[in-house]
Amino acid sequence: MSQLRFCDEVLPHISDIQTYQPGKPISELQREHNLLRISKLASNENPLGASPKAIKAVQTELNNIGRYPDGNSFYLKQALADFLQKKPTEIALGNGSNELLELVARIFAGKDDEIIYSQYAFAVYPISAQAVGATGVEVPAKDWGHDLQAMADAITNKTKLIYLANPNNPTGTLFTQQEWEAFISRVPSNVIVVLDEAYTEYVTHEEYANGLDYLEQYPNLIVSRTFSKAYGLAALRIGFMIANEELIAYINRLRAPFNINHLAQVAAIAALKDPMFVKKTVDLNRQGMQALTQFFEEKGLLYIPSQGNFVCINLGQDALNINQALLKEGVIVRPVAADGPFSQFLRVSIGLPNENQHFMAALNKILTASAPK
């Protein structure tokens, strides 16, 4: 029997997409190296897990997994509306914020359109542009972060959508309120701006611009957030967008039926009721960030100051080799790029104190062994 080949039938802009590579799972590393102690610091997860209230809510509802979830997520939308001081009709829910980021591209852009995003930004932005056949316009970064002035300059009559991340992933950089206001005031009203605030809970910068404060003034603005990071619900895949009712209505037309499972809904509602858990998470992150950056400075390693729950370090050599050595020590981190200026960088998530210590000891051992004698 001849093997079927469909490469000639697939649209070119689809066949050229590079598959998104997630962080290596713990179980995979255990199989490869037969290790007992593993610290996963690759995916910007909450090292504390989820709120005990969220876990209890899920356990209470396990007997109901034979039923379809509420397709409109009525109670979760109401809880979010109360929490954010918005209307339920201004909120869309996604199977992780990734689903929503991709949906926006499908709704507002297509062939012959342009989608703008920054160099060194979240990999889903260019993938979303490519998936809808739009032209991705990558604007060179400034100090590893968004150059908002250059991004505004890049807008043409073909621009339909702009992706921004604040703080940015993977660099952890942040643009200020002044920079944001200067940018958004230059964007034409027919161009959709998606402001991705997945790491907003971790921000400590005094000049941070909260996207929610600008929704009424800019009807073309969509703010994206998630329960995967500070709320610790990454496995349940739940994100949300806030925008004016018209934009949200378009997103709800295209999202898949029952895209938010029942356990995710009840966990998210419970998580919103536990602000002390989020505070504990943020405090732990601040302490871990301080410990790691102090270690980097002592070792003479450059790093990008971060407002997220992760930090990028410049090893001054091929990061892929260091990454492989760290895996053998039971530490999972994330190489940022295989080539170019970022090929010497690793992104490290902030973990529990013992996980951070495991990483620092392993990296110190590797760097010491590779140092010139």
Side-chain angles (χ1 to χ4, degrees):
M1 180 181 291
S2 62
Q3 185 177 0
L4 292 174
R5 294 181 60 83
F6 296 101
C7 57
D8 294 334
E9 310 301 326
V10 176
L11 294 172
H13 65 271
I14 299 296
S15 60
D16 292 340
I17 291 176
Q18 298 296 314
T19 303
Y20 177 80
Q21 296 296 327
K24 183 184 285 288
I26 292 174
S27 57
E28 183 178 333
L29 186 60
Q30 287 175 327
R31 292 194 302 270
E32 290 179 352
H33 295 288
N34 194 29
L35 297 168
L36 295 178
R37 184 187 182 188
I38 294 179
S39 297
K40 186 186 178 189
L41 304 173
S43 302
N44 304 344
E45 297 153 331
N46 188 331
L48 294 175
S51 160
K53 292 183 179 180
I55 294 172
K56 183 177 180 181
V58 168
Q59 292 171 335
T60 302
E61 293 295 322
L62 285 175
N63 290 335
N64 292 321
I65 61 174
R67 302 285 185 184
Y68 282 103
D70 174 2
N72 291 317
S73 304
F74 175 86
Y75 292 107
L76 175 54
K77 282 184 181 177
Q78 188 60 60
L80 269 171
D82 293 341
F83 182 78
L84 300 170
Q85 295 298 291
K86 299 294 178 182
K87 300 175 184 177
T89 51
E90 296 174 318
I91 298 170
L93 296 164
N95 182 25
S97 56
N98 280 23
E99 179 190 31
L100 295 170
L101 294 168
E102 294 165 5
L103 280 179
V104 170
R106 290 173 59 191
I107 295 166
F108 297 107
K111 185 180 179 183
D112 299 325
D113 295 330
E114 294 177 348
I115 296 178
I116 296 174
Y117 46 84
S118 175
Q119 182 186 25
Y120 310 137
F122 189 29
V124 167
Y125 306 155
I127 290 174
S128 297
Q130 195 170 354
V132 300
T135 299
V137 179
E138 182 180 276
V139 177
K142 181 180 180 180
D143 298 328
W144 304 109
H146 292 58
D147 185 342
L148 292 187
Q149 182 174 340
M151 294 183 78
D153 291 340
I155 297 172
T156 71
N157 59 4
K158 292 184 178 181
T159 304
K160 293 296 176 66
L161 179 63
I162 303 173
Y163 286 113
L164 305 173
N166 203 34
N168 184 47
N169 173 31
T171 63
T173 52
L174 175 141
F175 49 80
T176 66
Q177 182 176 356
Q178 182 178 0
E179 292 170 320
W180 160 251
E181 291 179 354
F183 165 81
I184 191 65
S185 64
R186 293 182 58 192
V187 178
S189 60
N190 64 319
V191 175
I192 303 298
V193 176
V194 176
L195 182 58
D196 187 350
E197 297 183 335
Y199 300 91
T200 186
E201 292 86 2
Y202 295 102
V203 173
T204 58
H205 200 292
E206 294 180 354
E207 298 179 29
Y208 177 64
N210 185 329
L212 299 183
D213 295 337
Y214 298 86
L215 288 172
E216 291 188 13
Q217 185 177 358
Y218 297 100
N220 57 328
L221 173 62
I222 302 175
V223 176
S224 175
R225 294 188 177 183
T226 183
F227 282 94
S228 295
K229 306 304 179 183
Y231 290 98
L233 301 182
L236 294 179
R237 308 304 303 125
I238 181 162
F240 56 100
M241 282 182 166
I242 314 99
N244 75 71
E245 293 176 334
E246 182 182 358
L247 295 183
I248 293 300
Y250 284 119
I251 293 172
N252 282 326
R253 288 184 191 184
L254 197 57
R255 67 174 177 83
F258 311 113
N259 64 327
I260 309 299
N261 72 73
H262 179 61
L263 299 183
Q265 292 183 38
V266 298
I269 292 171
L272 288 173
K273 297 177 181 178
D274 195 356
M276 293 307 298
F277 175 79
V278 176
K279 183 181 184 304
K280 182 179 180 181
T281 293
V282 171
D283 289 344
L284 179 71
N285 185 73
R286 188 177 297 111
Q287 295 163 12
M289 182 73 74
Q290 183 177 358
L292 287 186
T293 54
Q294 181 178 336
F295 167 74
F296 299 151
E297 291 169 2
E298 291 173 353
K299 298 297 294 183
L301 296 172
L302 299 178
Y303 62 92
I304 303 173
S306 173
Q307 288 288 314
N309 66 339
F310 55 89
V311 60
C312 281
I313 53 169
N314 186 346
L315 298 165
Q317 56 182 295
D318 186 357
L320 292 178
N321 292 333
I322 300 294
N323 180 62
Q324 288 300 316
L326 284 169
L327 290 174
K328 294 177 181 179
E329 296 291 330
V331 177
I332 308 173
V333 295
R334 189 71 176 270
V336 182
D339 51 29
F342 250 173
S343 63
Q344 297 186 341
F345 282 78
L346 289 177
R347 190 192 69 187
V348 185
S349 304
I350 308 300
L352 296 171
N354 64 305
E355 293 174 320
N356 297 334
Q357 187 58 46
H358 185 192
F359 160 71
M360 290 186 285
L363 182 60
N364 186 61
K365 175 182 175 181
I366 294 164
L367 294 178
T368 300
S370 62
K373 304 300 182 183

